[in-house]
Every structure is written in C-alpha cells, then in structure tokens.
C-alpha cells in the first residue's frame, strides 16, 4: 500500500512539473525585449508597460520607441506613438501604452544608443 501511494505521489509531482514547464514559456513569449551592450527595451504584455534601461555609464543614454502601423491609414508606414528615454539617472524609465487588439494595427519596438551607431528593431507584432 505504501509503495502505491509513493508511486502516485511521484507521478503527480512529475505531471505538475511538466505542466509548469510547458506553461511558463507560453507566458514569457508575450513579452518582447531588445538588448545590446548599452541597455535594453522591454515590453511587459501583462499591463502593457514599456521599460528602457541604460546599463552602461558612458555619458550617453538610450531611447526606446514604440511605433504603430495602422493598415487603414492613408499614409502607410510606422509612426512613433511612445518614446522612453533613459540615461544620466539611477534606475530605468517606464511608460504604459495600451497595445490594442486589432487586425488593422501592428507595432514595432526600436532601441537606439545616443552615442552613435545603429538602431535595433523588433519584428512587427500585435496584441
């Protein structure tokens, strides 16, 4: 009797572990992060919060921009709808923006270092 109970307990723990292991990546996939050696730009899907962080004290900040493309717009292309700057102070900066669920809207994140160089761009995404 004791062996049966032990087997059932081990099987239950293994099943619960498998469930958590398969559920965790699905939840994490909805967040988006752009990173380079000067900082990062992170979108938290839960709460629609955008965070930019300057991680290198080099005298230049970083800028995260959220771009929106409205497929129904008379002028196609991405327009800036959110800008978050960080640098020169302690901590990271955050701003919220409601990323809408719509087949007509796509979004794109862009991260730029103010010391020169290029801009990192995310793939287009929807809510």
């Amino acid at each position: 009797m004791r062996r049966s109970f032990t087997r059932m307990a081990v099987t239950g723990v293994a099943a619960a572990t498998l469930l958590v292991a398969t559920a965790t990546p699905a939840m994490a996939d909805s967040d988006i992060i752009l990173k380079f050696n000067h900082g990062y730009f992170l979108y938290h899907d839960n709460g629609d919060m955008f965070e930019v962080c300057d991680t290198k004290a080099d005298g230049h900040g970083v800028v995260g921009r959220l771009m929106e493309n409205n497929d129904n717009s008379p002028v196609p292309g991405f327009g800036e709808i959110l800008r978050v700057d960080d640098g020169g102070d302690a901590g990271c900066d955050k701003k919220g923006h409601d990323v809408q669920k719509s087949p007509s809207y796509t979004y794109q994140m862009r991260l730029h270092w103010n010391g020169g160089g290029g801009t990192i761009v995310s793939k287009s995404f929807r809510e």
Side-chain angles (χ1 to χ4, degrees), residues 69-77 102-106:
N69 184 28
N70 179 349
D71 297 338
N72 296 325
S73 172
V75 180
S102 169
S104 300
Y105 287 91
T106 57

Side-chain angles (χ1 to χ4, degrees), residues 60-122:
H60 302 284
V62 293
V63 177
R65 299 184 320 161
L66 176 65
M67 311 300 284
E68 177 185 70
N69 184 28
N70 179 349
D71 297 338
N72 296 325
S73 172
V75 180
F78 285 96
E80 182 177 309
I81 58 170
L82 178 79
R83 180 184 178 104
V84 188
D85 297 289
D86 189 47
D89 62 350
C92 302
D93 291 342
K94 298 179 183 180
K95 284 186 184 175
H97 177 77
D98 183 19
V99 175
Q100 299 184 20
K101 286 186 178 181
S102 169
S104 300
Y105 287 91
T106 57
Y107 298 89
Q108 187 180 72
M109 293 169 50
R110 298 180 183 178
L111 177 62
H112 181 76
W113 175 56
N114 293 333
T119 299
I120 298 174
V121 178
S122 75

Side-chain angles (χ1 to χ4, degrees), residues 3-17:
R3 278 186 166 167
S4 296
F5 179 74
T6 303
R7 278 190 213 138
M8 287 181 5
V10 169
T11 303
V13 169
T17 303

Side-chain angles (χ1 to χ4, degrees), residues 27-82:
M27 289 184 282
D29 284 344
S30 54
D31 289 352
I32 300 170
I33 187 164
L34 298 176
K35 290 169 112 175
F36 56 26
N37 61 350
H38 298 283
Y40 65 85
F41 188 29
L42 173 63
Y43 165 57
H44 294 283
D45 185 33
N46 186 4
D48 286 346
M49 186 62 63
F50 293 86
E51 176 181 343
V52 68
C53 196
D54 181 2
T55 58
K56 195 168 193 173
D58 58 9
H60 302 284
V62 293
V63 177
R65 299 184 320 161
L66 176 65
M67 311 300 284
E68 177 185 70
N69 184 28
N70 179 349
D71 297 338
N72 296 325
S73 172
V75 180
F78 285 96
E80 182 177 309
I81 58 170
L82 178 79

Side-chain angles (χ1 to χ4, degrees), residues 13-26:
V13 169
T17 303
L18 181 61
L19 179 62
V20 170
T22 56
T24 303

